[in-house]
Amino acid sequence: MKSLISQDKPVERLIIFILGLLIMSLGIVLVITANLGSAPWDILNIGLHIQFGLTIGSWAIIVGFFILLIAAILSKKFPPFGALLNMVLVGIFIDFFLLLPIMITPSALFNRWIMFLIGLIIMGYGMGIYISAKLGAGPRDSLMIVLSEKFGGSIAKTRLFMEAMVLIIGWILGGPVSWGTIIYAILIGRIAGWSIPQCTKWTAYILNRNVRTGKNIKQPKMEREAK
């Protein structure tokens, strides 16, 4: 909770954070619905859903909880507020979007690829929006940072190891590994590289707009007092 309270404009940041998670979850569901292969962690959640029941969103919350628990034990720190909120809301939003009647896998392969690519872009920009609120990393990123600091590996190698292990487990459980998984691995970093700087600028503009507007309103009054 400190990560929220210590920030300026906490309410505005919280709204942006939740909006980003909502948009990112929509992208995740579009990619899942396209049925061309998903991201490693989504493959794991789908595999768990296939094998043990419960919803995909429920497994996202359960897996996220254990990830945060491991990160907390290794770092000996309580998980940040943003990571906890991320864990819960993404799972809820995923299940919400999956229940929508319009979330149907297209019959034509071309349309499925269009859905997949649109979902990938939406996911990347949702990620950029929630990160721009600066309320903390999600469960996976929290564990990645802790593992990197604990064992001395680079962020890139730690992330690659985590994604590979999760992908293998998800595939064994029956999760959808296909060409889309490869496309995701190739494109998501580039999309995030575009979206995060853009969303950071947009968020900074939104958060500072009221300040600038306030100054513009006060200026005529100051001029009158000076006269």
Side-chain angles (χ1 to χ4, degrees), residues 1 3-20 81 85 133-135 203 206-207 210:
M1 193 70 176
S3 60
L4 176 61
I5 297 174
S6 61
Q7 294 279 8
D8 62 311
K9 298 185 180 296
V11 175
E12 291 87 341
R13 287 184 184 276
L14 184 59
I15 292 172
I16 293 170
F17 184 80
I18 294 174
L19 177 63
F81 170 75
L85 193 60
K134 297 181 179 179
L135 293 183
T203 297
I206 292 171
L207 293 176
N210 291 337

Side-chain angles (χ1 to χ4, degrees), residues 23-156:
I23 294 172
M24 183 179 71
S25 300
L26 173 60
I28 290 172
V29 170
L30 287 172
V31 169
I32 291 173
T33 305
N35 197 26
L36 292 168
S38 299
W41 291 95
D42 296 324
I43 291 170
L44 174 62
N45 294 330
I46 294 170
L48 290 167
H49 162 69
I50 292 171
Q51 296 297 327
F52 304 108
L54 298 180
T55 64
I56 296 172
S58 296
W59 281 115
I61 295 173
I62 294 169
V63 171
F65 170 80
F66 281 105
I67 291 171
L68 286 180
L69 181 62
I70 294 170
I73 292 171
L74 291 175
S75 65
K76 298 179 181 179
K77 295 179 182 177
F78 191 77
F81 170 75
L84 292 168
L85 193 60
N86 182 311
M87 173 192 72
V88 175
L89 291 184
V90 169
I92 293 173
F93 291 154
I94 286 174
D95 281 347
F96 167 75
F97 284 122
L98 283 172
L99 287 173
L100 295 179
I102 60 173
M103 288 298 171
I104 301 173
T105 303
S107 56
L109 181 60
F110 177 79
N111 292 337
R112 288 166 62 192
W113 276 112
I114 293 297
M115 173 181 277
F116 177 90
L117 293 173
I118 290 174
L120 205 57
I121 293 171
I122 291 175
M123 188 192 308
Y125 273 89
M127 188 188 308
I129 292 171
Y130 102 74
I131 289 174
S132 71
K134 297 181 179 179
L135 293 183
R140 292 168 286 184
D141 293 329
S142 298
L143 180 60
M144 175 187 66
I145 293 169
V146 171
L147 288 175
S148 177
E149 293 175 349
K150 192 76 174 177
F151 299 105
S154 67
I155 292 289

